[in-house]
Amino acid sequence: MFENIILGLNTIVDPLNLVYVLFGVTIGITVGAMPGLTSTMGAALVLPFTFFLEPIPAIAMLSALYCGAIYGGSISAILINTPGTGAAAITTLDGYELTRQGEAGKALGVAVVASSLGGLFSVFVLMLVAPQVAKIAISFGAPEYFALSFFGISMVVNLKTGEELKNIIGGLFGIFISTVGIDAMTGYQRFTFNNTDLMNGISFIPVMIGLFAATEFYRQSERTVARSIVHLENISKLPSIIEFWSLRWTILRSAIIGTFIGILPAEGGTVSSFISYNEAKRWSKNPEKFGTGILEGVAAPEAANNAATGGAMIPTMTLGIPGSSTTAVILGGLMIQGMRPGPLLFTSQPKFVYSVFVAMFIANIFFLILGLFGAKVFAQVGKIPLYILNPIILVLCFVGSFSLNNNVADVWIMVIAGFSGYFMKKVGFSGIPIALGMILGEIIEVSFRQTGTLFDNNFAVFFTRPYSAVFMFLAIISLLWPIIIRKISLKKNSSDV
Amino acid sequence: MNKIFDKTSIVLIAIFIVATIFFWLSFHIPVLDHAIPMYKNRIDAGVFPKVLTGLIMVLSIIVIYLDYKTAKSGKLKKNDIVFFKDSETRNRIIANFVLVFLSAIFFNVLGAFLTIFFFVLIYLWIWGIRKLSLLLLTPLFVDLGIYVIFYRLLSVRLPKGILENIL
């Protein structure tokens, strides 16, 4: 493993690769700091630029953007009470309160240090755990891949409480979209309507750009405030070393929680930041002070949401199952580069895999430096008027979709995905299940049908082989989780009465 | 609110209709001849689409029914029914939809650069910008940025449309 890390380090320290990592981090922080623009959207917009790069700089840049954007979300959360990304939503509680008390610098300082430490911890775990997972996964056959993908898609149920059925519909819809085109196992056309553009299926990239970027264009167009008010008082006043030291256990606990939750397919930074905040409050000597402007309230969610980035890369790289919506876009970028994410990637492309890991490590250091010395500059992006920003986003959606295959059909796919995504989001659907369904759809269908062919249509095999049985069991638990939780809370309520 | 359907139901009815159409189309996907030994255990290409669209139909009906029950109990709020908070927002979004659709249509015909120019210009106009310098310079700079980054640096062959002989 160490020789592979050295190999990755040697590749990434190439000045040009470092420039791409720095570029990714800078774009990430900028996107993250803009209210409403998510890390997924940033990755979707930058994705077309990576078509023209070699695999290592392309994925290193996207991964660096991911790290930077998750940190960047805290800047607007702290300064303007509007989280730049969903993962920073809970940072507003104490972060903005500190800004109101004239302690914006302290809040920003804690946010960047906690984010960086959380991120570094998770990349360390990623380097340690991912190769072991890949070693196990190399023995997987069709039943295991089906069970694993089924588990991955089942996780969407728990994305948003109260919207479980919609999450399932979204996931099914995503899998359905992946069936369009020529069937890989029989050669028959499915829903192509003899249109040559549909023969190879519906491209994943324009759908992602439509769902995550064009949808946001419409949502931002609803806003009537052209620009946000940014508080920049005392922005350079950082916390003292003693204040930082007092946060060490909060940061470590949150980093562990964030990394673990990040590993779970489809669960990203948002869930981990909320859980870490609650845990920090539970463990704190002053839980009543949470929400009144306490540094722990900033450190906990920020360490957790950045720790989720490394965690989310574990299933993405080892199994081809995205750990979050942004890693779903990164996965799309990998596929465009001709890479098939999965255990074989670790044996066939160790240089690539470890270069990406090292790039993420360096990205966490880069944004620490940029955040400590340049938060004031990034804070200014919140001032860019929406009427300038919005059309640029859509123009990038158009040009980005077109540049995939130099084909207007992809532009239309993006337009339709954006239009549908906007209305679906209005009624509580999320783009993540659809994206996950599209990515996992092919593996789910092909592995299921291969299992049928190999085992004489005896599908009990999913429950008789050890690994597949474990994944099927986890999938069933995941699907039933909302019901279990409801039953537990009902029981708790009745016993309280 | 005495409405029977909220906005969720309206979107789900649309999803149900789309799923039904594709469920029906799934039955038109050719099937393998399972009498041939090598195809004996093969699952047909239409099975997955049928199962998926069928499940979407069933789940859509369940959600519509649950929403209908909420609507009947009179628990619907204004926000559950209307898609837009006011008529001004609605008009702006509709104008944006039309603008995006027209841009997609004209992307090949007029060419990417002219389409982008007019798209940005009209978008600013819809937003209520009337300052001539902003209206003209913003689309010009966006076009310039796209030209330099995508057309020159990344060599993306963006459609030139009626500017074919100029660019």
Side-chain angles (χ1 to χ4, degrees):
Chain A
M1 190 180 78
F2 287 108
E3 55 269 36
N4 284 331
I5 294 173
I6 300 294
L7 183 69
L9 188 65
N10 280 336
T11 314
I12 286 298
V13 292
D14 176 89
L16 197 60
N17 285 337
L18 281 179
V19 168
Y20 284 120
V21 174
L22 184 63
F23 181 72
V25 169
T26 313
I27 296 289
I29 302 176
T30 311
V31 168
M34 288 181 192
L37 305 197
T38 61
S39 58
T40 313
M41 181 195 178
L45 285 179
V46 169
L47 190 59
F49 290 95
T50 66
F51 302 162
F52 309 94
L53 299 175
E54 291 292 313
I56 291 174
I59 305 305
M61 186 167 81
L62 284 175
S63 310
L65 183 147
Y66 182 27
C67 301
I70 296 294
Y71 153 64
S74 68
I75 298 176
S76 52
I78 290 166
L79 295 178
I80 55 174
N81 201 23
T82 312
T85 57
I90 203 140
T91 310
T92 55
L93 291 182
D94 286 277
Y96 187 65
E97 205 51 47
L98 281 162
T99 300
R100 276 166 44 118
Q101 293 163 18
E103 303 277 17
K106 279 191 175 183
L108 286 170
V110 166
V112 71
V113 171
S115 297
S116 179
L117 291 176
L120 289 170
F121 175 83
S122 73
V123 176
F124 179 70
V125 175
L126 169 71
M127 287 181 183
L128 221 63
V129 173
Q132 311 311 321
V133 177
K135 265 184 203 160
I136 297 169
I138 213 149
S139 62
F140 286 4
E144 284 78 17
Y145 269 104
F146 172 78
L148 181 62
S149 313
F150 184 56
F151 166 56
I153 197 76
S154 73
M155 291 297 288
V156 300
V157 176
N158 304 297
L159 269 179
K160 203 172 166 190
T161 315
E163 308 286 13
E164 292 85 0
L165 286 175
K166 286 177 199 165
N167 293 335
I168 298 175
I169 293 174
L172 291 169
F173 196 67
I175 304 174
F176 172 72
I177 297 172
S178 75
T179 65
V180 175
I182 294 175
D183 174 36
M185 294 186 76
T186 59
Y188 293 145
Q189 289 185 35
R190 299 192 288 196
F191 318 115
T192 59
F193 308 104
N194 290 325
N195 184 330
T196 46
D197 290 322
L198 291 175
M199 297 279 183
N200 287 329
I202 293 178
S203 302
F204 166 72
I205 305 296
V207 176
M208 291 290 266
I209 295 175
L211 278 179
F212 294 112
T215 299
E216 220 42 61
F217 160 81
Y218 295 120
R219 281 163 60 87
Q220 295 293 324
S221 297
E222 283 187 2
R223 288 173 61 179
T224 44
V225 183
R227 68 180 89 203
S228 312
I229 300 160
V230 185
H231 300 276
L232 296 173
E233 301 89 24
N234 284 337
I235 199 166
S236 308
K237 195 181 147 197
L238 293 171
S240 64
I241 299 290
I242 298 164
E243 281 173 313
F244 274 129
W245 184 246
S246 68
L247 298 169
R248 64 194 183 282
W249 297 119
T250 306
I251 292 174
L252 180 66
R253 189 190 316 113
S254 305
I256 295 169
I257 294 172
T259 307
F260 176 72
I261 293 173
I263 295 171
L264 300 176
E267 304 289 349
T270 311
V271 180
S272 62
S273 62
F274 275 82
I275 292 177
S276 296
Y277 185 85
N278 284 333
E279 283 306 303
K281 196 174 171 181
R282 211 162 62 85
W283 285 76
S284 174
K285 287 172 191 160
N286 308 303
E288 73 287 348
K289 284 191 179 167
F290 273 73
T292 62
I294 184 170
L295 291 177
E296 280 170 277
V298 176
E302 284 310 308
N305 61 28
N306 267 86
T309 57
M313 287 297 273
I314 295 175
T316 309
M317 297 293 268
T318 56
L319 307 166
I321 292 176
S324 66
S325 52
T326 314
T327 49
V329 179
I330 297 174
L331 203 63
L334 267 165
M335 289 168 176
I336 290 289
Q337 295 289 342
M339 302 266 180
R340 185 83 214 172
L344 287 176
L345 201 63
F346 282 75
T347 44
S348 62
Q349 303 276 356
K351 185 180 165 187
F352 168 79
V353 172
Y354 283 90
S355 298
V356 173
F357 292 172
V358 173
M360 283 186 80
F361 197 87
I362 292 173
N364 280 290
I365 296 168
F366 274 168
F367 81 65
L368 174 68
I369 299 164
L370 289 172
L372 281 175
F373 300 105
K376 201 170 182 173
V377 180
F378 288 110
Q380 305 291 338
V381 298
K383 288 183 176 176
I384 298 173
L386 276 176
Y387 54 78
I388 301 282
L389 194 63
N390 270 353
I392 295 175
I393 289 171
L394 204 90
V395 165
L396 286 175
C397 290
F398 264 79
V399 179
S401 306
F402 179 85
S403 47
L404 178 65
N405 295 313
N406 284 355
N407 191 345
V408 181
D410 289 326
V411 174
W412 276 108
I413 291 171
M414 179 278 296
V415 169
I416 293 165
F419 178 81
S420 322
Y422 170 72
F423 278 105
M424 288 172 86
K425 206 160 190 172
K426 279 243 160 212
V427 299
F429 280 94
S430 161
I432 302 169
I434 302 173
L436 207 61
M438 273 192 84
I439 290 176
L440 298 179
E442 196 190 338
I443 312 173
I444 290 176
E445 186 183 6
V446 171
S447 57
F448 184 85
R449 289 166 71 184
Q450 278 176 346
T451 305
T453 310
L454 292 169
F455 297 91
D456 294 333
N457 287 338
N458 171 22
F459 295 107
V461 74
F462 293 131
F463 298 93
T464 53
R465 288 164 69 108
Y467 286 125
S468 64
V470 169
F471 290 128
M472 289 304 279
F473 176 71
L474 289 172
I476 292 165
I477 295 278
S478 163
L479 286 171
L480 296 176
W481 191 246
I483 301 168
I484 297 168
I485 287 288
R486 221 162 285 164
K487 289 261 182 213
I488 292 170
S489 59
L490 271 176
K491 214 171 176 182
K492 207 178 166 190
N493 285 346
S494 61
S495 64
D496 285 349
V497 172
Chain B
M1 286 282 159
N2 54 353
K3 288 256 184 178
I4 299 173
F5 294 118
D6 61 359
K7 60 183 178 186
T8 308
S9 301
I10 294 166
V11 170
L12 277 154
I13 289 168
I15 291 173
F16 177 79
I17 293 168
V18 172
T20 311
I21 293 167
F22 281 97
F23 183 69
W24 176 73
L25 286 171
S26 305
F27 286 90
H28 292 78
I29 298 169
V31 290
L32 296 165
D33 184 354
H34 293 278
I36 300 170
M38 68 176 288
Y39 293 150
K40 201 183 127 205
N41 289 326
R42 291 271 177 96
I43 296 168
D44 282 311
V47 172
F48 253 71
K50 278 176 208 161
V51 172
L52 292 166
T53 47
L55 281 172
I56 294 171
M57 284 160 65
V58 172
L59 291 174
S60 304
I61 290 171
I62 293 172
V63 180
I64 293 167
Y65 173 71
L66 292 174
D67 282 355
Y68 170 73
K69 264 179 46 177
T70 316
K72 261 190 96 180
S73 64
K75 285 180 190 162
L76 283 187
K77 296 181 195 107
K78 190 190 171 198
N79 194 35
D80 295 323
I81 296 162
V82 292
F83 279 96
F84 309 103
K85 62 179 181 209
D86 51 41
S87 58
E88 195 198 329
T89 311
R90 184 196 59 207
N91 293 343
R92 193 193 296 174
I93 294 297
I94 292 172
N96 281 330
F97 279 142
V98 174
L99 182 60
V100 170
F101 271 82
L102 286 176
S103 302
I105 292 168
F106 286 109
F107 201 69
N108 246 355
V109 185
L110 273 182
F113 299 105
L114 274 182
T115 309
I116 289 168
F117 184 89
F118 286 117
F119 168 78
V120 180
L121 184 113
I122 297 168
Y123 183 86
L124 290 171
W125 184 269
I126 293 170
W127 192 282
I129 306 296
R130 296 293 179 267
K131 204 174 162 188
L132 197 64
S133 59
L134 203 62
L135 280 172
L136 291 176
L137 287 176
T138 314
L140 208 64
F141 278 115
V142 174
D143 246 345
L144 195 69
I146 296 295
Y147 179 79
V148 172
I149 298 169
F150 282 90
Y151 197 78
R152 284 282 161 207
L153 290 176
L154 300 176
S155 306
V156 177
R157 300 288 100 192
L158 288 166
K160 286 179 270 186
I162 54 173
L163 297 178
E164 186 71 54
N165 298 324
I166 301 167
L167 289 170

